[in-house]
Amino acid sequence: MRVLLVEDNQLLAQGIELSLSKEGVQVDHISSYKEAVASLINEDFSAIILDLGLPDGNGEELLKQWRRKGISLPIIVLTANTDFDTRLNCLDIGADDYLSKPFDVRELVARLRAIVRRQHGLDNNQFSLGALTIDFSCCEVHFREQLIKLPRREYQLLLEFSQSAGRVLTRSQLEQLTYGWDEVGSNSIEVHIHHLRKKMAPELIKTVRGIGYILTDVQ
């Protein structure tokens, strides 16, 4: 998952980046209205975390501008403003969720995963495709009714495939996902996919030659 964080408080932004990176989320951090306007051009994000109090513009106006342009990415609004009318307005103009400062970063992570799951049509805490089942609430993977123990990186990669079920993930998208994993070597994606296939089924993740990979329905 790749997230755009628009936050001018550098200390808070660093804390959010650290917490999200531990969950396998890549964070692109910017701190101004002007940067935010430009950042969605030709970029592939899963969600946006938006602070309303930017130094060079109003976050509510930015939110309205994105929605007018047809940008449908899930957006969580962060703000120190606890005014009820402000909260209602943000939800009315297109925010998917709202979190008041100060907040527990763990709650932000949980809310982020929830809105991304909803974006992909996963309304509960479980994903199923053929013989594969992923329980998000306890981070467990079952294949053909057997519990499959996966290390953190393999689990994170499988989550990305589940959130893109039915679509091919390009090598570029997977490289963005694994960016910041501090792994040496250009073939780390192939190594993780090889391990997932070996632990479950070779045909679980199909190679689409010259494009990328896709999660398939294996019984």
Side-chain angles (χ1 to χ4, degrees):
M1 189 193 303
R2 185 180 178 204
V3 171
L4 177 65
L5 171 62
V6 187
E7 171 61 64
D8 67 321
N9 184 316
Q10 295 298 318
L11 188 60
L12 176 58
Q14 288 172 7
I16 292 173
E17 284 189 78
L18 179 60
S19 296
L20 291 182
S21 66
K22 290 179 179 178
E23 298 294 325
V25 179
Q26 179 191 341
V27 179
D28 287 25
H29 172 228
I30 56 178
S31 56
S32 71
Y33 186 104
K34 183 177 180 180
E35 289 176 299
V37 171
S39 288
L40 293 185
I41 301 174
N42 298 322
E43 295 289 356
D44 185 16
F45 295 104
S46 300
I48 301 169
I49 301 171
L50 173 64
D51 176 30
L52 294 186
L54 301 174
D56 59 341
N58 186 292
E60 291 178 69
E61 290 301 318
L62 183 59
L63 175 57
K64 285 193 288 188
Q65 183 181 148
W66 280 337
R67 293 314 192 206
R68 281 198 301 265
K69 289 182 177 180
I71 294 171
S72 59
L73 289 173
I75 298 176
I76 296 179
V77 166
L78 302 180
T79 180
N81 188 341
T82 59
D83 179 68
F84 185 67
D85 289 337
T86 299
R87 180 181 303 184
L88 288 182
N89 184 57
C90 286
L91 294 173
D92 283 341
I93 64 179
D96 295 272
D97 206 344
Y98 187 109
L99 201 54
S100 298
K101 299 177 182 177
F103 57 86
D104 190 315
V105 178
R106 293 173 297 177
E107 181 179 1
L108 173 61
V109 172
R111 287 173 180 258
L112 177 63
R113 291 207 177 279
I115 66 170
V116 171
R117 285 200 302 270
R118 290 198 298 270
Q119 177 80 354
H120 292 283
L122 306 174
D123 293 326
N124 53 39
N125 285 326
Q126 194 172 86
F127 168 83
S128 293
L129 180 65
L132 174 68
T133 301
I134 305 173
D135 190 328
F136 304 117
S137 62
C138 57
C139 300
E140 285 188 352
V141 175
H142 287 80
F143 186 74
R144 292 172 180 159
E145 300 184 356
Q146 298 294 316
L147 177 63
I148 307 298
K149 294 185 178 181
L150 299 177
R152 182 176 173 181
R153 298 310 189 194
E154 290 173 24
Y155 178 74
Q156 290 168 347
L157 187 58
L158 188 61
L159 280 186
E160 192 71 15
F161 276 111
S162 73
Q163 292 172 354
S164 302
R167 296 189 295 113
V168 175
L169 282 175
T170 67
R171 181 173 181 83
S172 174
Q173 288 172 317
L174 291 171
E175 285 175 345
Q176 289 176 0
L177 168 69
T178 58
Y179 178 80
W181 281 9
D182 296 325
E183 295 181 346
V184 178
S186 60
N187 66 336
S188 61
I189 295 170
E190 286 80 3
V191 169
H192 289 308
I193 289 175
H194 169 74
H195 289 160
L196 288 171
R197 287 168 169 166
K198 187 175 180 180
K199 291 174 181 178
M200 286 176 274
E203 64 272 25
L204 179 68
I205 300 173
K206 179 183 177 182
T207 300
V208 182
R209 192 172 298 276
I211 302 177
Y213 302 90
I214 186 171
L215 186 68
T216 64
D217 185 344
V218 177
Q219 300 301 319

